[in-house]
């Protein structure tokens, strides 16, 4: 018989006084209060935010690094009627990021072309063939989502091809950044954005909300339109369900249930989600 090492679960000693305070203030069972305290959420404000995530608690999107530069590039291209080439990634996070960009930018008048790389033929990241395709179709802006933070060669090639490059990403930031006009990544050491663990779709969702504000659009309407895509990218990329990710997940699941997007409805039908999770998603 194969030898096995017993699993030891370490648990902090219970703080019943802190549990009682949470129970009384928030009207929750002791078991829930105990779990919150064990997760270092004994503070009433933080515990309430965890249990009741609110869209109003999302950070100011203009605090994303290079937000102003990226906004100027994209809105300027729309005004000049220049083509924007959107480069996503092949996984769910990359696809939903590209979908948010494409749908939203088209809605505010952009001329966009979107490219999602083939998993086997192109792999992760930006392929130089995509940069050449963008150059040949006359794109003036090369816009990435869920990739590009380490793409020195590709960014240089896009710039040499006459394009202004805007990178939006959420992956680990390297010591040396590519020479793009804007690099939006909340992991940057100089980032003032209050939450660092957004998915690629989360970064795009928040950035485009800033653009929506600039264009005078309804922020609530914008959020309702794109939360379904943002939650898919967040959950599928296995991001921690804390802070803003928790807000996106809580409200995004409700929007996902009510989505009118034909592709998402078809996926839900094929996965039999509509018949098995009807009550859960509505809750």
């Amino acid at each position: 018989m194969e030898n096995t090492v017993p699993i030891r679960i370490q648990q902090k000693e219970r703080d019943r006084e802190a549990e009682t305070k949470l129970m009384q203030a928030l009207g929750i069972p002791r078991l829930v209060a105990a779990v919150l305290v064990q997760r270092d959420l004994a503070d009433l404000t933080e515990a309430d935010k965890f249990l009741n995530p609110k869209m109003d608690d999302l950070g100011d999107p203009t605090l994303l690094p290079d937000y102003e530069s990226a906004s100027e590039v994209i809105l300027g291209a729309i005004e000049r009627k220049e083509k924007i080439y959107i480069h996503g990634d092949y996984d769910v996070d990359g696809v939903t990021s590209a979908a948010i960009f494409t749908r939203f930018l088209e809605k505010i008048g952009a001329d966009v072309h979107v490219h999602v790389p083939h998993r086997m033929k192109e792999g992760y990241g930006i392929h130089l063939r995509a940069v050449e395709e963008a150059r040949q179709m006359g794109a003036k802006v090369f816009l990435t989502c869920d990739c590009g933070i380490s793409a020195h060669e590709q960014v240089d090639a896009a710039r040499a091809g006459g394009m202004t490059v805007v990178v939006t990403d959420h992956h680990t930031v390297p010591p040396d950044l590519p020479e793009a006009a804007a690099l939006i990544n909340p992991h940057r050491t100089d980032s003032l954005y209050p939450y660092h663990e957004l998915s690629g779709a989360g970064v795009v969702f928040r950035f485009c909300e800033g653009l929506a504000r600039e264009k005078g659009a309804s922020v609530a309407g914008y959020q309702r339109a794109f939360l379904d895509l943002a939650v898919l990218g967040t959950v599928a990329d296995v991001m921690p369900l804390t802070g803003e990710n928790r807000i996106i997940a809580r409200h995004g699941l409700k929007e996902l249930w009510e989505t009118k997007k034909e592709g998402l409805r078809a996926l839900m039908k094929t996965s039999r989600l509509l018949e098995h999770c009807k009550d859960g998603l509505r809750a």
Side-chain angles (χ1 to χ4, degrees), residues 49-278:
K49 284 184 177 181
F50 185 83
L51 293 175
N52 303 292
K54 298 178 178 64
M55 293 298 293
D56 288 343
D57 288 332
L58 291 172
D60 179 354
T62 66
L63 294 178
L64 288 165
D66 284 352
Y67 171 86
E68 187 174 341
S69 298
S71 170
E72 183 178 340
V73 169
I74 292 172
L75 295 182
I78 294 174
E79 184 177 345
R80 294 185 294 273
K81 301 187 184 306
E82 296 172 344
K83 184 175 289 296
I84 299 173
Y85 187 98
I86 298 170
H87 192 295
D89 190 28
Y90 57 71
D91 67 0
V92 176
D93 194 22
V95 172
T96 52
S97 300
I100 294 172
F101 258 148
T102 302
R103 287 170 173 264
F104 174 72
L105 293 182
E106 285 184 336
K107 191 175 183 65
I108 62 173
D111 176 11
V112 302
H113 175 86
V114 63
H115 174 74
V116 175
H118 190 285
R119 179 185 291 266
M120 304 306 295
K121 295 179 180 178
E122 295 175 82
Y124 169 75
I126 305 167
H127 200 287
L128 286 172
R129 286 199 300 267
V131 177
E132 178 59 19
E133 178 186 59
R135 186 194 68 80
Q136 289 184 3
M137 66 174 54
K140 294 300 181 183
V141 176
F142 194 91
L143 174 61
T144 81
C145 43
D146 196 31
C147 64
I149 199 64
S150 302
H152 289 267
E153 182 181 8
Q154 296 88 335
V155 170
D156 289 345
R159 292 175 63 231
M163 289 174 275
T164 303
V165 182
V166 173
V167 170
T168 72
D169 202 348
H170 74 120
H171 293 99
T172 302
V173 177
D176 297 317
L177 295 172
E179 295 186 22
L183 292 156
I184 297 180
N185 187 323
H187 285 292
R188 282 178 50 173
T189 56
D190 60 343
S191 177
L192 298 177
Y193 195 74
Y195 187 72
H196 297 164
E197 299 300 327
L198 291 169
S199 65
V203 171
V204 174
F205 175 70
R206 303 279 23 250
F207 172 66
C208 287
E209 181 180 318
L211 297 183
R213 291 174 186 269
E214 290 193 52
K215 298 294 287 184
S218 164
V219 172
Y222 163 82
Q223 291 171 343
R224 286 194 302 271
F226 296 105
L227 269 167
D228 51 4
L229 294 169
V231 69
L232 278 178
T234 299
V235 173
D237 226 41
V238 200
M239 304 307 297
L241 292 184
T242 59
E244 297 200 1
N245 288 339
R246 191 170 181 82
I247 296 171
I248 289 171
R250 170 67 179 84
H251 296 275
L253 286 174
K254 292 186 70 174
E255 295 300 333
L256 182 60
W257 173 252
E258 298 172 354
T259 186
K260 298 296 190 296
K261 296 180 178 65
E262 292 183 8
L264 297 184
R265 299 295 298 180
L267 286 172
M268 292 166 72
K269 182 177 180 180
T270 300
S271 65
R272 303 179 70 183
L273 190 64
L274 294 174
E275 56 187 275
H276 290 307
C277 300
K278 186 180 296 184

